[in-house]
């Protein structure tokens, strides 16, 4: 595709020491066009029915979870420290029992210069990791999680939904609200770790590919942040990507937890779910409704969990 061909040519020129501007000028001279979108245009091949397809400018959430297709790449990521891996005994998301694409699996972002990821917090305030493959840089803006309430107020003033809307904060507004912001460049081969609940937004400074995934550190702070967002999502009518009740039961069943505060918090959550089940059962019996256990069509595959715990 045009994107891959452009990336390949740019990488080869970069190895020889060419700047991005020099590369674009060479391509414009070669193709005889001054339009940026015509740079690195290759001859179209294949059936004519594909010629009318719209060229994408920002490929997001490309699934890389297939272990057969991406075995080599996934094996390389397993060399990272335990808290950075998609599967680890100290990663809460490893105990889900099923895939959540882009969270406990790897996803790819294919960016052209100027591509933006609007401001947001990760699903259920989980931690996140982002690796820049290159060849270009990415610019990051990050704000501590404690300021998310102010961001919510700013979005409401501008009639934007904080959870589901698309918003890009202005630095002037942040200064007026006395909100600190960490701004930095992510160069090729740089790995960015986002703390639980941190607000962030990103823009590409060049052509680059990024891979990203989520983790849930086995700590009290992470669990509380995830559960608070789970409850807030329910109040706002937004479906949570991470089923926290299901995850809590799996953590109680399979995980070896050394954080006493985390154990207390999980116990509190499970007691609450049992109380709600008891109240529901008593209400149904009072109304004369017959309760029938339907079971599950398929049992959860816990082979992955067993493998993780053995490691």
């Amino acid at each position: 595709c045009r994107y891959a061909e452009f990336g390949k040519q740019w990488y080869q020129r970069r190895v020889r020491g060419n700047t991005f501007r020099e590369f674009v000028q060479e391509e414009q001279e070669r193709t005889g066009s001054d339009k940026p979108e015509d740079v690195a245009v290759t001859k179209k091949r294949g059936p004519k029915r594909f010629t009318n397809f719209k060229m994408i400018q920002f490929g997001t959430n490309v699934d890389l979870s297939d272990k057969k297709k991406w075995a080599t790449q996934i094996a390389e990521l397993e060399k990272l420290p335990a808290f950075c891996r998609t599967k680890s005994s100290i990663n809460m998301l490893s105990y889900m029992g099923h895939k959540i694409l882009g969270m406990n699996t790897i996803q790819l972002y294919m960016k052209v210069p100027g591509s933006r990821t609007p401001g947001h917090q990760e699903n259920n305030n989980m931690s996140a990791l982002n690796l820049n493959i290159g060849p270009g840089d990415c610019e990051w803006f990050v704000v501590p999680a404690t300021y998310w309430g102010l961001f919510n107020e700013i979005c409401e003033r501008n009639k934007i939904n904080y959870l589901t809307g698309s918003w890009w904060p202005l630095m002037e507004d942040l200064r007026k609200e006395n909100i600190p912001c960490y701004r930095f460049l992510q160069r090729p081969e740089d790995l960015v770790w986002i703390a639980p609940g941190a607000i962030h937004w990103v823009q590409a400074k060049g052509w680059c590919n990024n891979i990203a995934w989520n983790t849930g550190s086995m700590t009290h702070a992470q669990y509380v942040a995830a559960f608070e967002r789970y409850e807030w999502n329910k109040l706002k009518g937004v479906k949570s990507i991470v089923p926290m009740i299901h995850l809590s039961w799996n953590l109680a069943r399979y995980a070896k937890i050394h954080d006493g505060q985390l154990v207390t918090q999980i116990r509190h959550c499970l007691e609450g779910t049992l109380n709600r089940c008891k109240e529901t059962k008593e209400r149904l019996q009072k109304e004369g409704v017959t309760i029938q256990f339907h079971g599950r069509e398929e049992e959860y595959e816990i082979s992955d969990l067993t493998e993780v715990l053995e490691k």
Side-chain angles (χ1 to χ4, degrees):
C1 68
R2 292 170 59 184
Y3 183 94
E5 182 67 22
F6 183 91
K8 175 184 175 183
Q9 294 172 4
W10 160 231
Y11 180 77
Q12 291 173 345
R13 300 251 193 333
R14 184 176 182 181
V15 171
R16 293 200 295 268
N18 293 43
T19 64
F20 183 77
R21 186 180 297 276
E22 291 173 344
F23 169 60
V24 172
Q25 291 175 351
E26 290 178 8
E27 289 299 311
Q28 289 176 346
E29 293 174 359
R30 184 175 67 83
T31 59
S33 173
D34 294 331
K35 297 180 180 180
E37 60 268 22
D38 289 337
V39 175
V41 174
T42 57
K43 184 178 180 181
K44 294 182 179 179
R45 300 177 180 177
K48 292 183 177 180
R49 64 177 181 273
F50 294 117
T51 59
N52 295 327
F53 278 14
K54 183 178 179 180
M55 182 62 64
I56 63 171
Q57 295 182 340
F58 186 6
T60 65
N61 305 97
V62 181
D63 179 31
L64 302 184
S65 63
D66 192 325
K67 294 181 179 179
K68 294 182 179 179
K69 291 182 180 179
W70 311 103
T72 304
Q73 290 78 9
I74 293 175
E76 286 297 312
L77 294 177
E78 290 300 314
K79 298 177 182 179
L80 292 170
F83 78 95
C84 295
R85 301 175 198 156
T86 54
K87 282 190 176 182
S88 170
S89 60
I90 58 174
N91 178 5
M92 289 186 187
L93 296 179
S94 297
Y95 296 89
M96 285 301 306
H98 62 272
K99 292 180 181 178
I100 304 179
L101 296 179
M103 292 200 70
N104 56 5
T105 64
I106 309 298
Q107 62 182 355
L108 168 70
Y109 294 86
M110 304 172 68
K111 304 178 182 181
V112 299
S115 296
R116 285 182 167 183
T117 301
H120 67 287
Q121 290 175 286
E122 294 296 318
N123 294 320
N124 287 91
N125 285 340
M126 290 293 176
S127 305
L129 291 105
N130 187 295
L131 176 63
N132 186 7
I133 306 300
D137 300 335
C138 282
E139 185 176 21
W140 285 72
F141 305 82
V142 185
V143 173
T146 52
Y147 292 90
W148 81 268
L150 285 175
F151 277 90
N152 186 48
E153 292 177 4
I154 295 173
C155 287
E156 289 179 349
R157 288 201 299 263
N158 291 278
K159 299 180 180 180
I160 299 174
N161 189 304
Y162 174 77
L163 294 175
T164 60
S166 179
W167 44 274
W168 184 269
L170 300 176
M171 299 306 291
E172 295 178 0
D173 293 339
L174 299 185
R175 281 192 287 267
K176 290 179 182 178
E177 299 289 343
N178 293 321
I179 299 176
C181 180
Y182 299 93
R183 185 176 183 177
F184 59 91
L185 277 181
Q186 179 192 27
R187 302 192 184 280
E189 300 183 6
D190 284 350
L191 178 65
V192 174
W193 179 81
I194 298 296
I199 307 105
H200 56 284
W201 53 102
V202 190
Q203 66 179 355
K205 305 295 285 185
W207 297 70
C208 55
N209 300 295
N210 294 66
I211 57 173
W213 63 97
N214 291 100
T215 62
S217 55
M218 204 72 71
T219 62
H220 172 258
Q222 172 66 91
Y223 184 83
V224 170
F227 218 98
E228 285 180 349
R229 181 45 52 90
Y230 175 78
E231 295 294 340
W232 178 256
N233 286 346
K234 286 198 294 184
L235 287 174
K236 294 298 182 179
V238 177
K239 184 177 181 180
S240 292
I241 302 299
V242 180
M244 289 302 299
I245 303 299
H246 169 78
L247 176 60
S248 299
W249 280 103
N250 275 2
L251 289 174
R253 293 177 64 188
Y254 302 114
K256 185 180 292 185
I257 303 172
H258 303 285
D259 187 334
Q261 287 184 307
L262 177 57
V263 171
T264 301
Q265 198 68 38
I266 293 176
R267 182 184 295 115
H268 177 71
C269 167
L270 300 185
E271 289 175 350
T273 61
L274 291 175
N275 287 332
R276 284 192 290 273
C277 288
K278 180 183 177 182
E279 292 173 359
T280 303
K281 180 180 177 181
E282 291 175 350
R283 188 180 300 112
L284 291 174
Q285 290 176 339
K286 185 177 180 180
E287 296 292 333
V289 178
T290 302
I291 301 174
Q292 181 179 355
F293 180 70
H294 296 280
R296 300 183 186 277
E297 294 181 1
E298 296 181 1
E299 291 293 331
Y300 285 104
E301 296 182 2
I302 62 171
S303 57
D304 290 342
L305 299 178
T306 306
E307 179 184 356
V308 167
L309 292 175
E310 287 176 351
K311 289 181 181 179

